[in-house]
Amino acid sequence: MDEQRKKQDGPRVVLGVGAGIASYKVCELLRRLTESGHSVKVVPTADALRFVGEPTWAALSGQPVATSVWEGVSEVPHVRIGQRADLVFVAPATADLLAKAAHGLADDLLTNTLLTARCPVVFAPAMHTEMWDHPATQANVATLRERGNIVVTPASGRLTGADTGPGRLPEAAELFEVAVRVLAGAPQDLAGRHVVVSAGGTREPIDPVRFIGNRSSGIQGYALAKVAAARGAKVTLVAANTSLPDPAGAAVVRVGSALEMRTAVLEAAASADAVVMAAAVADFRPVTSATSKIKKREGEDTLPIELVKNPDILAELVLRRTPGQVIAGFAAETDDVLEHGRAKLARKGCDLLVVNQVGEDLTFGAPDNAGVVLSASGPEREIPRGSKEALAAVVWDEIAALLG
């Protein structure tokens, strides 16, 4: 079987390209899709071809580019392309495209395709911050999400010119992961929901160069954010001291200490349907933090550091919960895992608690994890060792069931 036939036998993806400067990044997304065996039909808008030309899309996809409803009319492309797709992925999704999709307008081949598609549809917006934040755009995004479409929250960073802020198209590798998860059959049971996830480990300053911290890498929290986005959720990720790239589909709020984590999580949770506290939050912080580096002194072998308890963010979330809100926590234990976990679930009052055993070479920084989901209202569910995304999927299964 020749290479072209192999491509056509793979999952059928329609790659819609909007008229934005970020379309150059979509070339890399197309390359990843085709090299992993997907059959990709590129459908750019007329103005999108001003940024990246038709020959580039054709060469990378190995297929003719569909640009007009008036080409190949006998094959009824404005209907058939959408009908035959396993996934429609629009990137960059401009403010104009989002508005047309939300209101059912169909003045070109791509918008016709969006109306005829009965497969999952993913929009990856990219635009200037003012356009993304505009109430009209936010209303259109909300409408699309309510209908079960996945709208990937744009990243923050350098935009066109010298501007910086939310509205940047996520990197191709992250978008590719979203496409793969959706094609793998990720349920859309979180569509229209807002979820908050915390990740990483807080650091409590002793002086400007030292801190009390922990070994958390943030990988599990980021996996929770990625899986939630692929299941249709609007995701706010509160990340403490991680070196991981922003996951596509999550609005990332960066924090350092437990007090900063508390402020950010409580603010985001006020409008959330579910909150998952996966971050490793320090239980204590120094009463005072030196304003300059603490120096060793001759004749002094010890340096007492007085500690004070940090606020219990998970318990506070439970006290402040809104009607119908689901709250889940994580408990990292080194011994008597289930015993400590059950006691913590009763003490915190949350709906779910994921308990797992941790150690220097176990879980922290590793790509895999295992655990047990404890429930305040149902049976315990053991999660065998596997990828952290697999564990995240089970956690969202449980949360989605509680959300109903």
Side-chain angles (χ1 to χ4, degrees):
M1 184 182 295
D2 60 36
E3 197 63 30
Q4 180 67 24
R5 178 70 179 278
K6 286 181 182 178
K7 288 182 180 180
Q8 293 177 348
D9 285 346
R12 293 163 295 187
V13 178
V14 172
L15 184 58
V17 184
I21 186 63
S23 57
Y24 79 92
K25 297 169 74 173
V26 182
C27 294
E28 174 64 15
L29 172 61
L30 173 56
R31 185 188 67 80
R32 288 174 179 267
L33 287 167
T34 55
E35 288 186 356
S36 57
H38 299 81
S39 173
V40 186
K41 185 75 171 177
V42 182
V43 184
T45 66
D47 285 339
L49 295 176
R50 293 174 177 265
F51 293 97
V52 178
E54 185 174 338
T56 299
W57 300 120
L60 290 173
S61 68
Q63 296 191 39
V65 177
T67 60
S68 171
V69 295
W70 304 112
E71 296 176 359
V73 175
S74 61
E75 297 181 7
V76 200
H78 73 289
V79 174
R80 296 289 180 261
I81 292 175
Q83 285 180 335
R84 293 169 178 167
D86 298 310
L87 171 68
V88 176
F89 200 112
V90 182
T94 61
D96 179 66
L97 264 175
L98 293 173
K100 288 178 178 178
H103 292 86
L105 300 181
D107 61 355
D108 64 5
L109 185 57
L110 178 53
T111 48
N112 273 273
T113 298
L114 291 171
L115 283 181
T116 58
R118 293 299 179 266
C119 60
V121 178
V122 178
F123 294 91
M127 62 198 74
H128 266 69
T129 302
E130 294 83 357
M131 300 173 73
W132 171 250
D133 287 339
H134 195 284
T137 301
Q138 290 303 306
N140 291 332
V141 168
T143 297
L144 291 168
R145 283 174 169 158
E146 287 167 4
R147 292 176 185 160
N149 300 285
I150 298 173
V151 182
V152 175
T153 301
S156 292
R158 182 71 177 267
L159 305 173
T160 306
D163 294 344
T164 300
R168 179 181 174 88
L169 187 71
E171 297 306 312
E174 289 289 325
L175 294 178
F176 174 72
E177 286 188 18
V178 173
V180 170
R181 289 190 197 98
V182 175
L183 280 167
Q188 297 305 292
D189 47 5
L190 298 178
R193 301 285 193 178
H194 175 208
V195 303
V196 177
V197 178
S198 69
T202 63
R203 295 177 179 178
E204 313 306 317
I206 297 171
D207 63 20
V209 297
R210 302 179 180 93
F211 58 85
I212 297 173
N214 56 67
R215 299 179 186 276
S216 178
S217 65
I219 295 174
Q220 183 62 72
Y222 273 58
L224 284 157
K226 291 177 180 180
V227 172
R231 291 170 77 150
K234 172 187 175 182
V235 182
T236 300
L237 175 63
V238 182
N241 305 299
T242 69
S243 58
L244 303 169
D246 290 355
V252 181
V253 180
R254 299 196 178 279
V255 297
S257 67
L259 294 180
E260 291 174 355
M261 172 74 73
R262 173 185 176 272
T263 299
V265 168
L266 291 180
E267 180 179 348
S271 62
D273 297 289
V275 184
V276 182
M277 283 295 298
V281 181
D283 293 323
F284 300 93
R285 70 181 185 276
V287 172
T288 59
S289 174
T291 57
S292 58
K293 181 180 177 182
I294 299 172
K295 300 291 187 179
K296 290 187 292 185
R297 292 188 176 93
E298 291 296 328
E300 293 184 358
D301 295 329
T302 62
L303 175 66
I305 299 176
E306 187 179 359
L307 301 177
V308 63
K309 276 187 178 181
N310 272 322
D312 189 329
I313 303 174
L314 183 58
E316 192 169 355
L317 282 167
V318 172
L319 290 175
R320 295 188 178 206
R321 72 192 309 161
T322 57
Q325 189 178 65
V326 176
I327 298 175
F330 271 67
E333 302 290 348
T334 56
D335 50 54
D336 299 324
V337 174
L338 286 178
E339 180 182 344
H340 289 306
R342 290 170 184 141
K344 185 173 183 178
L345 176 66
R347 188 170 65 252
K348 302 290 188 181
C350 52
D351 299 291
L352 302 170
L353 190 72
V354 184
V355 296
N356 54 5
Q357 188 171 13
V358 297
E360 184 173 348
D361 299 315
L362 186 65
T363 299
F364 288 136
D368 59 345
N369 202 353
V372 178
V373 181
L374 306 180
S375 172
S377 59
E380 298 176 0
R381 182 172 177 180
E382 185 173 354
I383 307 174
R385 184 158 299 280
S387 71
K388 289 186 173 178
E389 291 194 2
L391 185 145
V394 174
V395 173
W396 288 121
D397 288 345
E398 296 290 325
I399 291 174
L402 291 174
L403 288 172

